[in-house]
Amino acid sequence: MKFTFAFALDVGATLRGRFRLEEKLKDGLGISTCSGWDLTSRRSAVVKAAPLSEISAPELLEHEAQVLSKLGCPNLGTLLSAGRQDRYFYLAYRYVEGESLEQ
């Protein structure tokens, strides 16, 4: 099954030539999250992205990246990359195996 992000970022697409988007996980607050594959490190990743047209979603992700870059806690996800591509802002994290915090 192929999912399409509300802002035309398709599962199966490659983000910044590095992160291949594999499965849509969640949408909320104007932010879409999907599992992916880091083609550089050959590891699983999670990518969060928001269209720049959203009022606050890109700012939320940008703030998240700034906070994570200042913290050094092993219980927080490792930020692999952050930036803008086309009409959206994204964060890419190393995938951490385990249960969802929602469970």
Side-chain angles (χ1 to χ4, degrees):
M1 179 179 281
K2 183 175 180 175
F3 290 96
T4 302
F5 286 81
F7 45 93
L9 183 62
D10 293 331
V11 170
T14 301
L15 182 65
R16 303 288 287 200
R18 180 174 176 186
F19 301 101
R20 186 180 60 235
L21 306 177
E22 295 186 336
E23 179 183 355
K24 188 169 182 179
L25 301 175
K26 185 176 181 178
D27 280 326
L29 300 174
I31 299 170
S32 292
T33 305
C34 72
S35 64
W37 183 254
D38 184 344
L39 298 169
T40 301
S41 68
R42 300 189 186 280
R43 292 183 178 204
S44 294
V46 173
V47 176
K48 295 168 74 173
L52 294 171
S53 62
E54 287 290 325
I55 293 171
S56 63
E59 288 81 11
L60 286 172
L61 288 180
E62 213 160 13
H63 179 71
E64 184 175 326
Q66 291 167 357
V67 169
L68 280 173
S69 70
K70 294 176 184 174
L71 299 174
C73 179
N75 295 326
L76 296 174
T78 302
L79 185 62
L80 300 172
S81 181
R84 295 170 191 251
Q85 178 173 313
D86 300 327
R87 298 179 311 268
Y88 52 90
F89 185 84
Y90 76 93
L91 298 178
Y93 292 90
R94 175 184 276 171
Y95 177 77
V96 177
E97 190 74 41
E99 292 185 30
S100 166
L101 295 176
E102 292 180 3
Q103 296 176 350

